Amino acid sequence: MKVIILGAGQVGASVAEGLVSEENDITVVDSDGVRLMALQDKLDLRAVVGNAATPSVLREAGAADADMIIAVTQSDQSNLVACKLAQSVFNVPTRIARLRSRDFLEDAGLLSEENFAVDFALCPEQVITDYICRLIEFPEALQVLNFARGRVSLVAVRAYEGGLLVGQPIKQMREHLPPEMDARIAAIFRRDQPVFPEGDTVVEAGDEVFLLAAAEHIRPVLRQLRRMMRPVERIMIAGGGNIGIRLAKTLEKRYEVKVIEGRKERAEVLANELDNALVLLGDATDEELLEQENIAEMDLFLALTNDDEDNIMSGSLAKRLGCQRVVALINRRAYAEMIEGGPIDIGISPAQVSIGTLLAHVRQGDVAEVHSLRRGAAEALEIVAHGDAKTSKVVGKRIDQIDWPSGVTVAAVVRNFEQAVIVGQTDDWTAITRHGEVVIAHHDTLIEAEDHVIVFCTRKKLVKKVEKLFQVGFHFL
C-alpha cells in the first residue's frame, strides 16, 4: 500500500514507524528538512521537503498513484486543504486528517465528499482526554483500554505483594471469581520482558499484568491482583492548553478540579470557559503555590503542559509534597521509560495513545480497534473474522488448532452484536443492557464468522503475521 504522511511531528513520525514494512511504501512530507532527514535515517521511507497543502508538493510525493493520504501537520487548515486536493486533483481513495478545532469536528457536513472530503478525522487531544478519563475511573490501573464498542476492557496493573493471585498459578483465578464471571490474563511483563501466560504461570509481585474481561466484570477481577484505591475526588491539572481545557471541562461536573496556568491571557480564557473548576495563575513547579493549594490532599496530579521537563519537574514535586498519584504527558519515549514507576506513576506518550485510533483505519484486513501498549512495544488488536472454514485460516477452528505466532495471545471473542445482554440492574424494575456476547478465550473456543477477536501481540512485529492469518482466500464472495 502506498501511503503519504503529511507532517513529521510526533504523530506523523509514530504513524510512519507503525506502517513502515515490506507491504507499505511510505512517503513523508514536511517543511522542516532537518526533521525529515532524522526520520529518514531512522526508517526506510521517502522524504519530500515542502508545503503539504500545495498540489506541486503532493504531486512530487506521489499523490497521483497513492492509496492513502494521512494529513497530520500542526495546521488544521493545511490538513483540510491537503485532503481536498487529494480527492479532487489526485483521486486518492482514502484521506485521513488530524483536526484540533472543535468547529470542524462538530459540523460533520464540513468533512463530507462535497466539502473537505475527509474520510476519518483524528483529534489526538480528544483521544488523550478520553484515555485519561478512563485512568481516573480506575486509579489502580496503569492503562485502561476498551474493545468491541465498549463491551470488553483491558486493564494493565502492577501486581502487589499479598494480592490474592500473586504467588499462585493463573489458572487459580477462576476459583476467586463468581461462577457467572470469567476473565483472561492476556499478557505478563516481568522486568520489561514478556512472560507467555499459561495455566501454570505464577504471577510475581511487581509483574505488569494485562487483565481482560467483559466491561461489567473488570472491577471484581481487578481485586484479585490490586489493592483497590480510594475513588478520585480532587484533581489538580498543570497546564491549560488544548488537552488541559478539554479535560477540565469534562471533569469539572464530577470532581473538584484546579487548573494551574502560567500565561495570564490563557488563564483568563480558561476562567471564562470553565464553570466549576478553579483557575490559578502561576507556575506548577512553584513549591509554595502547590502547598498553598493543598497538593497533599489531592488524589491526582496531571502534568499536561507542552514541556516534558516541566511535566517531570512539577509531577515529581507534587508527589514529594504528598499527592497520592501523578500522571504526566511525556513526548520523548526515552523520558517516559526513564521516569515511570518513580515519583511519576504513569507517563503518557500522546503520540502512542492517539496512534491506535488512526492505525485501525490503516491496517490490512478488517481491524476494528488497535491499541499501542507499553509505549509502542506491544499491540492489542480487535480484528473481525470473515469467510468460512474453506476460505479462512481461523473461522470454524478452535483456538488451539490455529498456528498462532509465538508471542500472540487470543484473549476474547465478541459476537452477536444485535443480541442484547442484561449485565446488571439499576433497581428492581430497570435492567442494564449491553449488546454483544463476550466469550473469554480458552483453548477450545471456536471462532465463528463475523466474530470480533481480541488478540494481544507482545511484540509489534507480530501484528502483520496476525493480519495475514485473518485474510480471506481469493474465492470468498
Side-chain angles (χ1 to χ4, degrees), residues 140-142 155-159 207-211 222 225-226:
E140 49 283 315
L142 300 171
V155 177
V157 294
R158 187 80 61 190
D207 283 354
E208 188 175 338
V209 182
F210 285 83
L211 277 167
L222 271 176
L225 284 163
R226 279 296 305 178

Side-chain angles (χ1 to χ4, degrees), residues 296-309:
E297 297 178 9
M298 292 291 155
D299 300 310
L300 181 64
F301 182 87
L302 298 167
L304 307 179
T305 75
N306 293 322
D307 188 290
D308 285 0
E309 286 80 4

Side-chain angles (χ1 to χ4, degrees), residues 4-208:
I4 299 175
I5 299 171
L6 309 179
Q10 287 286 338
V11 176
S14 296
V15 172
E17 187 177 355
L19 295 181
V20 166
S21 69
E22 292 178 4
E23 289 82 11
N24 292 315
D25 176 9
I26 307 295
T27 301
V28 180
V29 179
D30 198 283
S31 56
D32 188 334
V34 175
R35 181 185 288 173
L36 276 179
M37 288 277 287
L39 191 60
Q40 197 170 25
D41 289 342
K42 181 182 174 184
L43 303 173
D44 180 20
L45 50 78
R46 179 169 170 257
V48 174
V49 180
N51 184 345
T54 57
S56 59
V57 172
L58 291 176
R59 186 174 288 107
E60 184 184 351
D65 59 349
D67 299 300
M68 180 180 296
I69 289 271
I70 302 175
V72 287
T73 74
Q74 295 289 333
S75 166
D76 286 2
Q77 291 79 4
S78 294
N79 294 337
L80 290 169
V81 169
C83 284
K84 185 59 180 176
L85 288 172
Q87 179 231 22
S88 60
V89 178
F90 301 105
N91 199 28
V92 179
T94 305
R95 303 160 303 276
I96 296 172
R98 170 189 181 169
L99 297 175
R100 303 171 109 172
S101 171
R102 294 183 182 181
D103 292 341
F104 296 123
L105 293 165
E106 290 172 356
D107 188 345
L110 288 174
L111 306 181
S112 65
E113 288 280 330
E114 297 75 29
N115 293 306
F116 286 112
V118 175
D119 294 310
F120 172 68
L122 169 70
C123 180
E125 290 82 3
Q126 188 59 50
V127 173
I128 294 163
T129 297
D130 295 341
Y131 184 92
I132 294 174
C133 286
R134 290 195 296 270
L135 286 176
I136 292 170
E137 290 180 28
F138 293 87
E140 49 283 315
L142 300 171
Q143 199 166 10
V144 184
L145 305 168
N146 290 330
F147 294 91
R149 307 170 199 171
R151 278 298 283 127
V152 173
S153 293
L154 177 70
V155 177
V157 294
R158 187 80 61 190
Y160 75 99
E161 192 71 52
L164 287 176
L165 200 58
V166 173
Q168 301 183 48
I170 62 177
K171 63 185 178 184
Q172 292 190 11
M173 183 167 65
R174 287 291 297 115
E175 299 175 9
H176 299 294
L177 297 175
E180 70 276 6
M181 252 177 234
D182 201 358
R184 178 72 189 264
I185 292 181
I188 298 172
F189 286 85
R190 183 171 297 155
R191 293 178 286 277
D192 288 332
Q193 296 300 314
V195 176
F196 192 75
E198 298 179 307
D200 294 326
T201 303
V202 175
V203 177
E204 297 181 5
D207 283 354
E208 188 175 338

Side-chain angles (χ1 to χ4, degrees), residues 401-413:
Q401 294 175 323
I402 300 168
D403 187 21
W404 302 103
S406 177
V408 170
T409 304
V410 179
V413 172

Side-chain angles (χ1 to χ4, degrees), residues 209-365:
V209 182
F210 285 83
L211 277 167
L212 184 140
E216 65 271 16
H217 295 157
I218 198 66
R219 284 193 185 278
V221 171
L222 271 176
R223 293 191 183 98
Q224 308 310 310
L225 284 163
R226 279 296 305 178
R227 296 183 187 90
M228 302 306 287
M229 297 172 69
R230 72 175 187 231
V232 171
E233 295 178 357
R234 294 171 293 276
I235 300 169
M236 184 177 287
I237 299 173
N242 289 330
I243 295 173
I245 191 170
R246 280 177 185 270
L247 194 60
K249 279 188 172 183
T250 304
L251 300 177
E252 65 177 352
K253 295 181 180 68
R254 293 180 56 194
Y255 305 94
E256 180 186 317
V257 177
K258 295 180 179 181
V259 184
I260 300 176
E261 172 55 51
R263 298 163 295 171
K264 186 173 185 295
E265 299 81 3
R266 184 63 181 175
E268 290 173 352
V269 170
L270 291 168
N272 288 329
E273 291 204 24
L274 297 173
D275 297 322
N276 301 319
L278 175 63
V279 180
L280 304 166
L281 177 62
D283 186 347
T285 61
D286 182 344
E287 183 173 347
E288 186 177 344
L289 173 63
L290 293 183
E291 288 184 327
Q292 284 177 354
E293 295 303 325
N294 302 315
I295 186 64
E297 297 178 9
M298 292 291 155
D299 300 310
L300 181 64
F301 182 87
L302 298 167
L304 307 179
T305 75
N306 293 322
D307 188 290
D308 285 0
E309 286 80 4
D310 278 355
N311 290 342
I312 292 170
M313 291 297 293
S314 63
S316 300
L317 180 61
K319 195 61 173 277
R320 183 171 68 80
L321 294 175
C323 185
Q324 182 179 1
R325 194 160 177 81
V326 174
V327 175
L329 282 188
I330 308 292
N331 284 292
R332 295 187 189 179
R333 188 180 301 178
Y335 281 10
E337 293 172 355
M338 180 178 66
I339 57 93
E340 191 169 85
I344 293 171
D345 297 289
I346 301 175
I348 297 175
S349 167
Q352 290 298 331
V353 169
S354 57
I355 191 177
T357 308
L358 193 151
L359 287 178
H361 292 262
V362 178
R363 295 290 195 201
Q364 294 178 350

